[in-house]
Each structure stands twice: as structure tokens, then as C-alpha cells.
Amino acid sequence: MSGERIRAVVQKELRDFRRNRFLVGTMAVLPLVFLVSPMITLLQIPASTPVSVIHHAVGGSSLLLFVVPAVIPPIMAAYSVIGERDQGTLEPFLTTPIEREELLLAKAIAVFLPSVTVAYGIYFAFALTIRFAAAHAVSAAVWHTPQIVAQLVFTPLIATWAVWVGIAMSVRARDVRVAQQLATLASLPAIGITALITFRVVTPSVRLAVALAVVLLVIDIRAWRFVSKLFDRERLITGSRAKPS
Amino acid sequence: MQATPALTVEHLTKRFGGRVAVDDVSFTVAAGEVFGFLGPNGAGKTTTVRMLGTLISPTSGSAIVAGLPLSPANGVAIRQQIAVMPEAPGLYLRLTVTENLEFFAGLYRIRDRARIPAALEAVGLQGRATDLCGNLSKGLRQRVALARALLNDPAVLFLDEPTSGLDPVASREVHGLIDGLRERGVTVFLTTHRLEEAERLCDRVAILNTTLRTIGRTDDLRDRLFRKRLLVETRAPLTDPGSVFDGSPGVTGWEANGSGVYEIVVTDAKLAAPDVARALVAAGADVLSLAEQRHSLEDVYLELISEDVEATR
């Protein structure tokens, strides 16, 4: 495993992302959609509203914010391998000494970093606005410690899951759009875990958040190994699987 | 040339399902050689390059690339020693020329970043280092791709149809660059279906049409496939050409081919030509020209490929 090669791929990907207007537009607009709607909902809640209603509203809003790390990475990650093939850069890339684990990890990091940055940015914009503009009871529910811990811990874990799902689709699909649609769809179940906490179906606690986070972390690490096994140079180049004698 | 071959290929075969793309191909390429790999579209040239470049696995057969046996375990080590320039340049169009090369330098773990301007200088692009690749012409992109292939100072450089789609001026520039590589001692494996390109650039050529049809120096291939002939043109037809040609040493046959034009089959053109000239002068003929008939690589190629076409009918 070469850190130098991983760094080279991450740097190239980030440069390429920054200059891709479609991607920058998607990264800017999509999160705003998920920010504005819950913010308006919570800002309209009067101070006299019962606590259970507030908790329910905050749960729903937080869940929408978890959609950001679940939907942005697949859009980028699904492009990462098949996109290279579409623009004719995959073959020269694969003839370099890069190993598949390095390639996939680098691609994942390159998607993870901007996705999580945007997701955290959106969350803090949401939380700060609520803090200063919403009713005190609403603010207290948003700034509830397990709620914050859940956002901080689960955002990168959901994003990582979504990244691997996106890359897996990118490795196997024959078309970028199909890969993006399937990846987005397949990323959503990860939000289910967090929904249990945000809607307080299970009693939210730091211990529970950590336990679920560990489960997601294990899944994320295994996903890397799994996607590595899916990666087949021959299939990507020729469209058919390698059948060595 | 050194004794150790840069490439040794033995009985290499590749099947895609029921279709045989490359069948039982064997050859060697010496270090420092410019080797041409010719064949029509679909002959298996690119498949061979992809196998030797460790992108796809052979169905059977073996190869040694830059001293390393071709195997999945040696994939990274082989790719460290070679460079492949595919038919399409495959550049990141939103990145500059330098950024593209920086990326590949990182993949080869090249710490000496002075190699980037050196590679650009080798292909005459030092003035375009900060240009976005998307703004370059096709010919310039091909040059960037060649600079990229030179970054790791490869033991074997695979060039897959490097002038495909280029105009004559850009093609000539790429030819000049390949000549430069030869002078630097780089082993070049050049696939092309442009025969004049192979004839001009390559030390040896192989002609592939799924199977290897022939291999050798172009002069040897010509000699192997075609009988040597002298072409004679006189101002007026000879009254008795048999008496002129039949007695000349080295002449094994002749035929009239139009008014005052004769094709003379000889064992050795250089030895027979002076005797034929003397016989013509002695016969009082006004000789307009006397020259060895030259067969091009195209003649060799068409002869072999047409045999295949005939065989499949």
C-alpha cells in the first residue's frame, strides 16, 4: 500500500471535481434543498408546542440532514471508475503500478472528504440558525447531546457506506447514470439506523450511538474489501471477466 | 542490441468466450529495438498489448516482460517497468498538462519532479505546461500522452496506434518522437496498421492476423515472399529479348511487360544488374532505365492478409 500513490489520486480527483461545473452545482444545490426545508419547519414551531411534538419535528429534520451524506457521495462515487472509462482515462490509469486497493481507497477518500465537509457544513448552518432564531424548546432539542453526537458520528459513517456503495456500482455498472441511480437507492438504508435514534424509537444514548457507530464502521471496512474483490481490470477494460487457464 | 530480450512471448493465446482474439503467438523483442506489430482491425494487436501490459490475462501461453514473468503476482512490478500509450491519449481534460503528468509521476512514485519538464521537453511541449489538456489539439494531446509514457523511463514502451486519427503533420511529429526514443535506446513495441509508418520506424515487424503470419526485417520479408526482379525499360522493344537476357549470369527468367518494358527474375539484383546492362548495350538497345523492383511492406502485408482472406472464403 503506497501513501504516495493514494495521495496522487486524491489530489487529482479533488482538482478534477473542483473544475467540474455539474458536480460543483450538485454539491451546492442539493444540500441546500435538504437544509432549507427542515429549517423552515423548525423556525415556525411556537414556544408553546408540546415537547413530544417538538422532538418529533426535530427528529424528522435531523433525518433529512442525514440524507445529505447519503445522497451526495453516490453521485460522485458512482462516477469514479466508470467515469474514467467513459472519458478514456481508465486504461492509461490501470497500466500504472497502482494496486486495486490503493485505487479504490484513494477514490473513496476523494469522495468522502468533500461529502463530509458539505454535510457537516450544512448541519452546523442548520444548528446555529436554530440556536439563534428558533424557539428555546426547539433549540434545546436540536442541541441535545446525543443528537449532536449522532450527527457527528453517523455523518462520516453513512457517507463512507454511501461511498462504497457508489464505487461498487461504478465498478460493475456499464453506464454512469445507472450507477448513480442504483448507488443512491442502495445508500438510503444506512439512514434507517440513524432514524431509530432521531425518532427516539430506541432510547437515544451515547452508548447506543457508539455501538451503532461501531457496527457501521465494521460494515464500512468490510465494504472496502468487498468492493476490492469486485474490481476486475479485465472486465473494466473489455467488458468480459478474466478466465485464466 | 543487448543479448537479453526486452520481451519474450511464447504461445500466447487469448479467447473471449468462443472467440479467439490471439492464437498461439510467439516472438521476442530485443532491448533497444523498435518493433512493429502490424495487422488489420480486429487482428489482436491491442489485445496482445493489453496482455503484455497486465491489463488482461492470457488464456494460455507465457511471456517475460522487462525481465519479469507475466503473472498476476508480478503485475505491479511489470507495470513499474513499462509504459503503455493507448490509442486514445486518455488525458484528464480539466487538468493542465503539468497536472496530468504530476498525477502519473505520483502513481510511479517518482520523487524527482524535474522529470516532468524533461518529459515535456522531450516531446516539445515545454511551452504548454500550464495549458488545460481540454484546450489542446489532438496532435498535442498525443504528445502529452507520450510525455506521460516517458515519465517512468520505461524499459519497454508500448505504443498502440500512436498516430491513429492524426493529420499528416501531427503524424510526422510523432514519428520524429519515436525516432528520438530509438536514439535514447528505449525498446518500443509499436502497433499500427499504417504500413509506411512501420516501414519507416521499425527495426523488425511482425504481421498478426489472430495468428502470427510472419516476423522479420522488412527487407527479409520482401525477399522471403517475392522473387527478386530487375525492371528494364528501353526506348523501343528489343527484337530478340531472349538472346539478351537468357545468357546473362544470375538471370533465371524474364517477361515482357508492355512495349519496351521487361521484368527480369534474378538471383541477386546487385550482381546481375551490371551484366544485364552490358548485354543490353551489346544488343544496341537504348536503355531508359534499369532498376531493382522494390516491394513495399504494403506488398508483403497484402500478400499475407489476402492469403488469410482467401483461406476464409
Side-chain angles (χ1 to χ4, degrees), chain A residues 73 110 113 166 196:
Chain A
L113 291 177
L196 299 175

Side-chain angles (χ1 to χ4, degrees), chain B residues 165-233:
Chain B
L166 296 187
D167 64 42
V169 175
S171 295
R172 184 180 288 186
E173 287 172 359
V174 172
H175 291 167
L177 295 172
I178 296 170
D179 277 335
L181 295 176
R182 179 208 309 279
E183 285 162 19
R184 290 169 56 176
V186 178
T187 305
V188 178
F189 187 92
L190 171 73
T191 80
T192 181
H193 54 240
R194 298 174 81 156
L195 303 170
E196 76 290 350
E197 180 172 278
E199 189 154 32
R200 180 190 173 307
L201 296 172
C202 299
D203 299 313
R204 286 189 309 144
V205 297
I207 297 178
L208 182 80
N209 199 8
T210 306
T211 58
L212 195 66
R213 301 293 286 110
T214 193
I215 186 168
R217 295 182 177 278
T218 50
D219 284 344
D220 296 341
L221 297 182
R222 273 193 282 263
D223 291 350
R224 222 182 288 165
L225 277 169
F226 298 102
R227 289 191 294 177
K228 290 177 183 172
R229 288 168 187 264
L230 292 175
L231 272 181
V232 172
E233 190 177 359

Side-chain angles (χ1 to χ4, degrees), chain A residues 232 234 240-245, chain B residues 14-18 57-60:
Chain A
D232 178 353
E234 181 155 345
S240 56
R241 292 185 67 185
K243 287 179 185 168
S245 56
Chain B
K14 180 65 184 177
R15 290 192 188 88
F16 293 105
S57 313
T59 306
S60 62

Side-chain angles (χ1 to χ4, degrees), chain A residues 42-194:
Chain A
L42 296 190
L43 289 175
Q44 286 175 335
I45 294 176
S48 57
T49 308
V51 173
S52 62
V53 175
I54 289 175
H55 281 170
H56 194 266
V58 168
S61 300
S62 300
L63 191 62
L64 269 179
L65 291 173
F66 276 128
V67 174
V68 175
V71 297
I72 290 181
I75 293 168
M76 298 164 76
Y79 186 81
S80 60
V81 177
I82 197 170
E84 294 255 9
R85 194 176 73 176
D86 279 4
Q87 62 183 359
T89 52
L90 187 62
E91 190 162 344
F93 188 6
L94 293 183
T95 55
T96 68
I98 192 157
E99 294 182 54
R100 63 182 176 182
E101 288 83 3
E102 292 169 346
L103 185 152
L104 294 171
L105 186 60
K107 291 273 187 184
I109 292 169
V111 176
F112 175 86
L113 291 177
S115 303
V116 170
T117 303
V118 168
Y120 275 155
I122 290 292
Y123 174 68
F124 284 111
F126 164 81
L128 288 172
T129 307
I130 296 300
R131 172 109 186 179
F132 295 110
H136 178 72
V138 175
S139 173
V142 168
W143 286 88
H144 184 56
T145 303
Q147 190 72 42
I148 296 170
V149 170
Q151 287 286 353
L152 293 179
V153 172
F154 285 107
T155 292
L157 293 173
I158 290 172
T160 307
W161 165 256
V163 166
W164 287 126
V165 168
I167 293 178
M169 296 299 171
S170 191
V171 163
R172 302 303 279 191
R174 289 173 186 268
D175 179 75
V176 174
R177 285 183 188 173
V178 171
Q180 285 175 334
Q181 286 161 3
L182 289 175
T184 306
L185 209 61
S187 307
L188 294 176
I191 302 170
I193 297 173
T194 57

Side-chain angles (χ1 to χ4, degrees), chain A residues 2 4-5 8-9 12 15-16 19-20 79 84 87-89 91-99 233-234 237-238 240 242-245, chain B residues 14 16 50 54-60 76 79-80 84 86 89-92 94-96 99 102-104 106-109 111 132 148:
Chain A
S2 159
E4 210 169 337
R5 283 197 280 262
V9 178
K12 183 273 289 180
R15 274 177 175 160
D16 206 28
R19 293 172 196 170
N20 185 337
Y79 186 81
E84 294 255 9
Q87 62 183 359
T89 52
E91 190 162 344
F93 188 6
L94 293 183
T95 55
T96 68
I98 192 157
E99 294 182 54
R233 282 172 197 261
E234 181 155 345
I237 295 293
T238 67
S240 56
K243 287 179 185 168
S245 56
Chain B
K14 180 65 184 177
F16 293 105
R50 285 173 172 171
T54 76
L55 280 176
I56 61 176
S57 313
T59 306
S60 62
V76 172
R79 291 197 295 275
Q80 188 73 46
V84 181
L91 302 172
Y92 296 94
R94 284 185 286 265
L95 303 189
T96 66
E99 286 168 347
E102 277 174 355
F103 169 50
F104 280 86
L107 295 179
Y108 285 104
R109 302 172 72 186
R111 297 201 172 110
L132 284 179
R148 179 185 66 200

